[in-house]
Amino acid sequence: GMESIPEHISPDRFIPFDFRLDPQVRTDPWGFFHSANELPDIFYSPSLGGHWVIARAALLAEAWSRPDLFSAESVSVPKIESPFRLIPNNLDPPEHRPYQQIFTREMFGPRIVQSLSDDFRQMTRDRIDSFFAQGGCDFNAEYARPLPVQIFLQMIGVPMSRREDFDDSIEQVFRGTTPEMVFQGMTGVAGLLDAWLDEEMADRHSPRRAHMLEAMLTAKVDGRLLDKSELSSMATMLMLGGGLGTVSSATMHQMLYLARNPEMRKQLIDDPGLIPNAVEELLRRFSAPNVGRMARKDFEFHGVRIKQGEMVLFSTSIVGLDESRFSNALEVDFNRKGLKKDSLSFGTGVHMCSGHHLARAELRITLEEVLPRLQNLRVADGAAIEYASGGTVTIVGSLPLEWDV
């Protein structure tokens, strides 16, 4: 009740807001996030253990670039005492920098992204070939979930023969309804990556075809090779960031929207040159990641007193729909200007997603390959779409799509 409002929080900023369990999230997550336009620019929610919400894009961009105030030591709301210290996600500057450079230079440089894009396009075609003749499929199970995992396992060098070992744990990460269940899945993934890394480290110096593994095994931080725990943390981080959740969810949201909006789909089929900007616009409109930060000390931020240890929600879902930055934010406009500059879909500052070039390429290639082939694409009659937030807003069940063969 009201009596429990902490004294440093003004009552007009004390507003329940549960981005994980509010019933509206299950049916209309972006309607729920868009409603933050009516709320104060920064407010405190007693939900989920209590946390601040930064509800405007300009303020969030600033907060994201202030790791001196907002620590990445804990990146989940509610705060979870995680056994995983993910590199580079949970590191703050200056410790963060040398690891970040391994990611941006060695793993996700333009040349590497180009060769992975070619692999991904081939996977995409093979995958569509496998279900095309049926005239329909659960697009999540047949495409959106397995494909990003497949490209991840390829880029990190896990051999085909061992890839099925990962299926059960990956399924648990996707389907977990509580943070604990998701962690169990993550623990399974980390264990499998660990066992495989042990084998690879035994023979560290023979060249690898898989460039990420090569980069990890040969990269140096402060003049030394990375140790097992660092490699394991980076591999798990890449798997969770690159293979699980985010790209899959974005793919689901984009395909659902296009299956429901034939006139928008026709724009992209008639003019594929629009696709890169359409990807940016759909990432903005259906932005899925919601991450946390922890206040490093007591400080004041834009007139609000924040106490050391308090959690702060950095919601890309809210700021993608911020009317003060994007007019008619709920409208999808494939010609919307300035998206790359204005959008925070991949974060900003030192923790900006290092795989954003690859993620954008995967989403672009999906639209380029899927839309012209699946004619008269539509959602199956009577399909009930249900969403959940595990930090990333995703479609939890199936996404039954149909097309003309």
Side-chain angles (χ1 to χ4, degrees), residues 55-130:
R56 301 292 179 272
L59 297 182
L60 186 59
E62 182 185 335
W64 232 313
S65 60
R66 294 293 306 271
D68 55 317
L69 301 179
F70 300 93
S71 170
E73 181 189 325
S74 179
V75 296
S76 174
V77 173
K79 188 178 176 188
I80 301 167
E81 296 307 328
S82 165
F84 297 104
R85 188 156 183 255
L86 295 178
I87 296 174
N89 275 27
N90 295 131
L91 301 183
D92 291 310
E95 194 189 4
H96 170 266
R97 187 178 165 78
Y99 296 99
Q100 179 73 353
Q101 287 179 338
I102 298 171
F103 280 80
T104 49
R105 291 182 188 166
E106 314 290 333
M107 295 192 186
F108 292 111
R111 188 179 47 82
I112 290 164
V113 168
Q114 185 53 55
S115 86
L116 284 169
S117 296
D118 296 341
D119 292 344
F120 187 78
R121 193 179 295 276
Q122 191 54 53
M123 287 178 189
T124 297
R125 289 176 175 172
D126 294 345
R127 185 61 64 147
I128 298 170
D129 287 344
S130 74

Side-chain angles (χ1 to χ4, degrees), residues 325-337:
R325 179 163 284 201
F326 303 107
S327 56
N328 304 320
L330 289 172
E331 216 169 279
V332 173
D333 173 5
F334 292 156
N335 292 294
R336 197 184 281 269
K337 299 279 182 281

Side-chain angles (χ1 to χ4, degrees), residues 172-313:
Q172 197 168 4
V173 175
F174 276 124
R175 300 245 181 217
T177 47
T178 64
E180 290 69 31
M181 281 172 68
V182 173
F183 265 137
Q184 228 173 353
M186 284 168 60
T187 307
V189 169
L192 288 160
L193 287 171
D194 259 13
W196 163 76
L197 270 171
D198 278 335
E199 292 167 30
E200 294 292 342
M201 287 181 76
D203 173 22
R204 191 159 187 155
H205 297 290
S206 56
R208 300 296 194 294
R209 281 196 50 230
H211 75 276
M212 288 214 168
L213 181 61
E214 174 80 4
M216 288 164 64
L217 291 174
T218 57
K220 295 190 171 175
V221 169
D222 303 330
R224 61 169 180 83
L225 292 169
L226 301 178
D227 64 30
K228 170 72 188 295
S229 68
E230 290 169 306
L231 290 171
S232 172
S233 173
M234 287 169 83
T236 305
M237 161 54 222
L238 282 164
M239 179 72 157
L240 297 172
L244 296 174
T246 43
V247 175
S248 290
S249 292
T251 304
M252 296 174 193
H253 302 317
Q254 298 191 5
M255 292 308 298
L256 175 59
Y257 174 80
L258 290 164
R260 283 176 168 166
N261 292 275
E263 68 297 340
M264 300 300 280
R265 196 168 69 243
K266 187 173 182 325
Q267 284 185 34
L268 301 183
I269 294 169
D270 292 349
D271 180 6
L274 274 176
I275 289 179
N277 204 55
V279 166
E280 297 302 317
E281 172 69 340
L282 293 168
L283 280 169
R284 173 202 70 79
R285 172 61 181 80
F286 301 104
S287 196
N290 287 276
V291 298
R293 289 291 186 266
M294 196 169 79
R296 192 185 274 287
K297 56 188 176 200
D298 290 6
F299 59 90
E300 191 166 302
F301 187 72
H302 292 272
V304 175
R305 285 162 62 210
I306 296 177
K307 295 264 187 228
Q308 179 172 9
E310 288 180 331
M311 293 305 297
V312 185
L313 179 66

Side-chain angles (χ1 to χ4, degrees), residues 139-190:
F139 199 79
N140 288 353
E142 298 292 326
Y143 187 105
R145 288 198 178 115
L147 237 65
V149 175
Q150 206 181 332
I151 192 80
F152 162 78
L153 291 171
Q154 172 145 336
M155 70 193 184
I156 204 167
V158 174
M160 277 293 183
S161 57
R162 298 190 56 169
R163 291 185 190 179
E164 281 180 9
D165 303 347
F166 286 84
D167 290 349
D168 292 343
S169 297
I170 286 168
E171 193 57 26
Q172 197 168 4
V173 175
F174 276 124
R175 300 245 181 217
T177 47
T178 64
E180 290 69 31
M181 281 172 68
V182 173
F183 265 137
Q184 228 173 353
M186 284 168 60
T187 307
V189 169

